[in-house]
Amino acid sequence: MPYPIIPIFDQRLPKVMQSHGQPSNPPTDLLQDLLGRALRELRISVTDRCNFRCRYCMPRETFHTEHAFLGPSQLLSFDEITQLAAALTSLGVEKIRLTGGEPLLRKNLETLIASLGDLRTIHGKPLDLALTTNGSALRHQARALRAAGLRRITVSLDAMDEAVFQRMSDAASSSARQVLQGIDAAVQAGFEQIKVNMVVQRGVNDDQILPMARHFRRMPISLRFIEYMDVGGSLGWHMAHVVPSTEVLECLRNEFELEPLAPQSPSETAQRWRHAQGGGEIGLISSVTQAFCGECTRARLSPEGQLYLCLFAHQGHDLRQLLRSGRNHDEITAAIQAIWSGRADRYSQLRGQDSLTQRLPKVEMHYIGG
Ligand code: SAM
Ligand code: SF4
Ligand code: SF4
């Protein structure tokens, strides 16, 4: 992949490890980055491939048939992913979300779900494991995913209207109907939590806000409206294309009576609302207009084992190299500890300023997984 990678053993390992090769056990509960943020959440992207070409993520002009995706030997194996997840949980990670590309394209994903399900947090609790999918294959896979132990799932859907769906997803082989069938299958399979993510783009699908809210209102589902972000390098993003969450809320309140809900945790990214007359929840994710970098406790692992500290980072830290050169759990944990301790990322807070961070090329969304 074209993304720059930091060679960890040249620069990043604590001195004790570079000189003796064997680190002392790192303290677990105290790890913080330079801005005092703990490491609590991990996104794992299991593939950079996708069967959609959403205009806001993988525009076909860039990600065409000649685009070189990662080959099998470049991808982390399930065993390697589990080893890294174990190291990260020993440093405080409590929540893991599987993503992609399209994660359901990765064969036998249930095997990975089952082995991640065996991990424990530093407090001895089971990990909170979730998955984000475009939903195109969910109607066939929902039961097997649930049976493997997955309890929470998020399905991305940007429109009820088929023409608008096609305009957003550029996925002729799929349809809004198929995704809706996938969501129904997830409800049938007994997932404990189902969320639907809708990215709102001005003039493209903002007329779908109310139809989506009407449809999901009567279902046990949290519908979340996400501000369109300037991820990757191929979008031609402009602030004028963003529909601020305040505007989405105003639109919803013209039709529905909504009541605010208290945050469930300090790092919660969505402001939540509920229908006063009962029914599903509404979430507003204001990633652009109200940056939440101050509470960002999330690391991201790419399909080939690069650890990223921000959705807008321009470089990753090569953990696959550590794994494949035979480093043990303690050494890998110490390396990650050193990486997180040096983190100062806060891209969204700096958005619009002419800083170096803003000008460097950014990692692509389909590679890092959102
Ligand atoms: N393919 C899966 C899916 O679409 O759900 C998982 C990967 S996708 C990168 C994860 C999430 O990122 C999706 O909910 C998608 O809508 C969101 N996303 C992608 N590009 C975005 C953008 N430019 N702004 C905001 N959200 C975006
Ligand atoms: Fe694929 Fe998800 Fe990106 Fe759409 S948002 S192109 S479904 S990875
Ligand atoms: Fe976290 Fe980076 Fe997003 Fe800020 S911009 S919330 S640091 S991922």
Side-chain angles (χ1 to χ4, degrees):
M1 292 299 295
Y3 308 113
I5 289 162
I6 295 180
I8 290 167
F9 272 94
D10 294 350
Q11 305 176 16
R12 288 289 183 151
L13 280 189
K15 284 208 166 46
V16 60
M17 197 167 159
Q18 286 183 348
S19 52
H20 303 112
Q22 196 62 47
S24 53
N25 272 342
T28 48
D29 220 3
L30 300 173
L31 181 60
Q32 291 190 342
D33 70 7
L34 292 172
L35 303 179
R37 299 169 296 189
L39 172 59
R40 290 281 177 258
E41 294 168 56
L42 174 66
R43 295 228 159 155
I44 302 177
S45 174
V46 295
T47 176
D48 59 335
R49 289 168 196 264
C50 188
N51 54 334
F52 284 18
R53 287 292 178 275
C54 301
R55 303 286 314 153
Y56 54 71
C57 177
M58 292 181 85
R60 197 174 291 278
E61 302 85 87
T62 308
F63 301 98
H64 40 66
T65 41
E66 267 89 67
H67 179 78
F69 289 99
L70 296 171
S73 66
Q74 291 170 291
L75 295 179
L76 291 182
S77 68
F78 289 165
D79 190 42
E80 288 172 328
I81 293 175
T82 308
Q83 284 181 56
L84 291 180
L88 282 145
T89 51
S90 72
L91 291 170
V93 164
E94 294 171 337
K95 291 183 176 187
I96 293 187
R97 179 172 292 276
L98 299 177
T99 173
E102 174 44 40
L104 300 189
L105 293 184
R106 182 88 189 242
K107 284 202 175 59
N108 304 320
L109 194 68
E110 310 83 59
T111 313
L112 177 63
I113 289 168
S115 65
L116 292 175
D118 288 340
L119 296 178
R120 291 285 175 272
T121 69
I122 49 177
H123 304 296
K125 295 185 184 151
L127 276 184
D128 177 352
L129 194 58
L131 175 135
T132 303
T133 169
N134 66 25
S136 56
L138 194 55
R139 64 196 193 288
H140 304 302
Q141 295 191 29
R143 279 172 61 166
L145 293 169
R146 182 70 192 93
L150 189 69
R151 291 201 288 267
R152 301 201 298 123
I153 195 158
T154 300
V155 184
S156 304
L157 178 66
D158 299 322
M160 299 293 295
D161 181 272
E162 292 292 355
V164 183
F165 174 86
Q166 280 305 330
R167 207 182 307 146
M168 295 286 283
S169 64
D170 192 6
S173 62
S174 192
S175 63
R177 188 166 160 270
Q178 271 181 10
V179 178
L180 288 165
Q181 286 171 346
I183 295 169
D184 289 344
V187 174
Q188 294 301 321
F191 279 88
E192 288 169 16
Q193 185 189 63
I194 305 174
K195 296 179 189 168
V196 172
N197 277 358
M198 171 178 175
V199 176
V200 188
Q201 272 185 289
R202 191 178 298 287
V204 183
N205 69 335
D206 43 358
D207 65 342
Q208 295 297 298
I209 295 170
L210 287 173
M212 290 277 288
R214 285 177 201 130
H215 181 85
F216 290 111
R217 182 180 169 191
R218 296 286 167 210
M219 296 178 73
I221 277 173
S222 168
L223 172 61
R224 290 136 42 101
F225 298 93
I226 304 179
E227 288 178 350
Y228 170 44
M229 291 184 285
D230 49 338
V231 293
S234 345
L235 301 184
W237 180 92
H238 194 279
M239 191 64 204
H241 305 145
V242 179
V243 181
S245 293
T246 47
E247 210 177 306
V248 174
L249 184 61
E250 203 182 306
C251 168
L252 291 167
R253 286 186 127 173
N254 282 335
E255 178 160 329
F256 305 108
E257 197 182 332
L258 299 176
E259 293 171 345
L261 289 166
Q264 286 164 322
S265 78
S267 63
E268 192 168 70
T269 51
Q271 291 168 309
R272 296 179 308 120
W273 298 77
R274 72 163 178 224
H275 289 276
Q277 271 76 44
E281 256 180 47
I282 297 283
L284 298 168
I285 305 185
S286 318
S287 349
V288 177
T289 58
Q290 294 170 51
F292 32 77
C293 302
E295 286 77 42
C296 182
T297 57
R298 189 175 291 169
R300 295 171 161 89
L301 187 63
S302 82
E304 52 182 342
Q306 314 301 322
L307 190 70
Y308 283 83
L309 306 182
C310 177
L311 185 53
F312 301 91
H314 64 277
Q315 60 189 6
H317 302 261
D318 190 359
L319 300 184
R320 187 184 64 185
Q321 169 223 343
L322 297 188
L323 280 170
R324 295 190 181 172
S325 62
R327 305 291 161 165
N328 66 27
H329 172 88
D330 284 352
E331 290 172 318
I332 291 170
T333 306
I336 298 171
Q337 186 186 21
I339 293 166
W340 189 264
S341 306
R343 175 185 190 240
D345 303 64
R346 53 188 192 101
Y347 178 94
S348 286
Q349 283 182 344
L350 302 173
R351 185 180 277 109
Q353 297 178 21
D354 187 32
S355 64
L356 179 63
T357 330
Q358 302 283 301
R359 276 182 274 124
L360 289 169
K362 292 167 284 177
V363 65
E364 292 290 343
M365 188 73 148
H366 73 284
Y367 174 76
I368 201 68

